[in-house]
Amino acid sequence: MNLVQTVEWAVIAPPVIAAFTAVAVLLADLFLPAARKALLGPLAAAGLALAALSLLPLRDGDRSTFCLPDDPALCAYSADRFAVILQLLVLGGAFLTVLLSIPEANGKRVPAGEFWFLLLSSAAGAALLPAARDLATLIIALEVTTLPAYALVGLRRGSGAGPEAALKFFLSSVTATAVALLGIGFVYAASGSLFFDGIAEGLDEADPRLSTLAEAGVALTLIAFAFKMAAVPFHFWVPETYLGAPLPVAGYLSVVGKTAGLAGLILVTTEAFPGHGDLWGPLVAVLAGLTMTAGNVAALRTDPRAPNSAIRLLAWSSIGQAGYLLVPIAAAAYTEEGAGATVAYALMYGAVNLGAFAVAAHVARQRPAHRVDDYRGLWARQPAAALAMGFFLLCLAGLPPGVIGLFAKVAVFETAVDAGLGVLAVVMAVNVAIALYYYLRWTAVLFQPAPHGAAEPDAPRRLPAAPLTAAIGLAAGVGIVLSGAPQLILTFASGTLL
């Protein structure tokens, strides 16, 4: 067999541009004097913007590369609509993360060159992953996304919690990856292929004596992606990692890292293992129910007066949101229109969750204890920041004026009902009600008067740093546009995406 593959550089431009920008930033860091290292952040942002613009020629979603000459249908990289939309989400999330990180890097809290290189490298892997169409490329992209994240978590100078959080993140992630590699070995043994189309065909035609091996491989392969999405019981690393990491890195993991796991899970279930829906469908449904319940109940029990309660609540909220994202994937085992709703929900979640982290990063510059109660009286001190945070929280809760959050939840709920997953739909409805309490509690704190004697005379004059202002504005703008045109979400959820 001829294994020489063709390459179309325009098709692979998004991850390649991000990777080249990472190398350019690292080289520039070697030669720039200390006084000019602040230019590295804008350079990283420009590279990500250029990578996102390179998606424009691919918007028709019908181009592939790294195809086998003897079988052009087998390609390792495909820029279809699914890949392009998730690449846009990944690169947009990384761009917002750069804006959040500029004050941190310019404040000498992290080594600038290494920080931008690691962030861009991880973004390149996350941009590659949705376009992967074989298990080898998929697992490599997943590790390229994750390996720099370990270092990013523990990179802050003088942080005692960072290295410990990075180590916990590393050990649990490596274990999950090792289990997934074992599963991939089983799948290859049963199907004889690493390409998704070849696996789907090979498993259907496999020797019946290999059925147990194939089923074990399918289940084990899902573990790595469940870990990246922080699905229960693979979620224990999230609160400690978010607390130990720099706040922009925590926001990055909550959106871009989760999107990478989401993309991988959709690909292996719907593309590689469509004939085993009776196995992974109930499994993902159980994971969805457990994940949303564990995340929301833990967030509900978070004491708003405790140190770091704001970050801890965002961490548990992220886990709860992962449960909602899993619902349409479970439904995809029984209907062809499930995965589109997951992507639609991810678009909403990515914009507003990074927006919430941007406001948290701003408040943390004044109140480093990271308590939810630190937001009390924010409306009186900084009305714009309070309005933005309230809007983001209401979007996550699914309440007006966060109309986009409401429509995204309705789309996800509809997929569960259409697939006959009535029990999961009821569990989701209960969890949405639970989440309303802690989202509304935090929103109410924004507009309550500050405790007597706690007001700061100069607080109204403390505006967010310009990059933070831009990040908050961009996230709010996306949320407002989508809330004004929720039919965009309905289009994705209708099944036209995949």
Side-chain angles (χ1 to χ4, degrees):
M1 178 181 294
N2 185 3
L3 298 179
V4 177
Q5 300 178 359
T6 59
V7 180
E8 289 189 48
W9 290 101
V11 179
I12 61 173
V16 168
I17 291 174
F20 272 108
T21 305
V23 176
V25 166
L26 189 63
L27 292 175
D29 181 58
L30 296 176
F31 299 102
L32 283 176
R36 306 195 66 182
K37 288 189 185 294
L39 296 174
L40 297 178
L43 176 59
L48 289 170
L50 182 60
L53 288 174
S54 70
L55 293 170
L56 288 176
L58 308 176
R59 61 186 182 275
D60 292 336
D62 190 24
R63 299 179 67 177
S64 300
T65 189
F66 294 111
C67 302
L68 295 180
D70 294 339
D71 192 351
L74 293 179
C75 301
Y77 188 103
S78 178
D80 54 19
R81 288 192 64 200
F82 170 80
V84 170
I85 290 173
L86 282 185
Q87 285 176 332
L88 177 62
L89 174 57
V90 163
L91 295 171
F95 181 82
L96 286 178
T97 303
V98 169
L99 296 181
L100 298 186
S101 305
I102 287 176
E104 186 102 4
N106 292 349
K108 310 300 182 184
R109 296 173 185 168
V110 295
E114 293 88 335
F115 181 86
W116 298 123
F117 171 75
L118 291 168
L119 182 62
L120 289 165
S121 298
S122 178
L128 171 63
L129 196 148
R133 291 300 178 268
D134 69 81
L135 287 177
T137 305
L138 189 71
I139 204 70
I140 290 172
L142 188 66
E143 290 310 298
V144 172
T145 304
T146 307
L147 286 172
Y150 305 144
L152 286 170
V153 170
L155 201 60
R156 184 192 294 169
R157 293 188 175 104
S159 172
E164 180 181 353
L167 182 61
K168 292 178 179 177
F169 183 24
F170 170 75
L171 292 176
S172 53
S173 178
V174 166
T175 302
T177 301
V179 173
L181 287 173
L182 178 63
I184 289 173
F186 289 171
V187 169
Y188 180 72
S191 66
S193 177
L194 289 176
F195 290 94
F196 294 156
D197 291 343
I199 291 171
E201 182 179 350
L203 291 180
D204 288 341
E205 300 174 355
D207 191 321
R209 293 173 293 181
L210 298 177
S211 60
T212 302
L213 183 70
E215 291 174 356
V218 169
L220 293 175
T221 303
L222 300 181
I223 289 179
F225 306 103
F227 172 86
K228 297 301 185 288
M229 287 194 66
V232 172
F234 313 107
H235 68 292
F236 292 106
W237 61 275
V238 173
E240 294 300 322
T241 300
Y242 283 23
L243 289 175
L247 202 53
V249 175
Y252 176 84
L253 292 174
S254 74
V255 173
V256 178
K258 195 180 300 295
T259 301
L262 172 70
L265 194 60
I266 291 175
L267 289 172
V268 295
T269 52
T270 62
E271 297 291 323
F273 310 140
H276 285 73
D278 56 339
L279 172 63
W280 56 260
L283 178 61
V284 175
V286 171
L287 289 178
L290 292 176
T291 301
M292 67 177 71
T293 302
N296 287 320
V297 170
L300 185 67
R301 297 182 60 189
T302 300
D303 184 358
R305 297 164 297 180
N308 295 312
S309 57
I311 307 306
R312 195 174 292 277
L313 195 150
L314 285 173
W316 287 114
S317 164
S318 175
I319 294 172
Q321 297 287 341
Y324 304 145
L325 287 167
L326 288 169
V327 171
I329 300 178
Y334 311 100
T335 176
E336 296 181 357
E337 300 182 358
T342 295
V343 176
Y345 196 96
L347 289 170
M348 178 279 300
Y349 167 77
V352 301
N353 203 61
L354 273 174
F357 269 97
V359 178
H362 164 57
V363 174
R365 298 173 68 210
Q366 305 168 30
R367 308 288 179 88
H370 295 294
R371 292 186 294 259
V372 172
D373 270 4
D374 291 336
Y375 293 77
R376 194 179 302 276
L378 186 63
W379 165 252
R381 302 193 304 269
Q382 297 166 30
L387 286 175
M389 189 64 168
F391 176 69
F392 296 139
L393 292 173
L394 291 176
C395 282
L396 291 171
L399 290 177
V403 177
I404 189 60
L406 173 62
F407 274 87
K409 280 185 168 58
V410 169
V412 168
F413 187 84
E414 185 180 5
T415 61
V417 173
D418 290 345
L421 301 175
V423 174
L424 183 58
V426 172
V427 172
M428 179 180 173
V430 171
N431 275 277
V432 169
I434 294 173
L436 285 177
Y437 177 79
Y438 64 80
Y439 285 131
L440 289 176
R441 180 177 63 184
W442 194 347
T443 305
V445 166
L446 299 171
F447 301 95
Q448 293 174 356
H452 180 69
E456 302 177 30
D458 60 338
R461 295 191 295 273
R462 291 185 179 178
L463 299 177
L468 284 179
T469 302
I472 296 170
L474 283 173
V478 172
I480 291 171
V481 168
L482 292 180
S483 293
Q487 64 270 20
L488 297 176
I489 287 293
L490 294 178
T491 299
F492 290 139
S494 67
T496 59
L497 179 65
L498 295 175

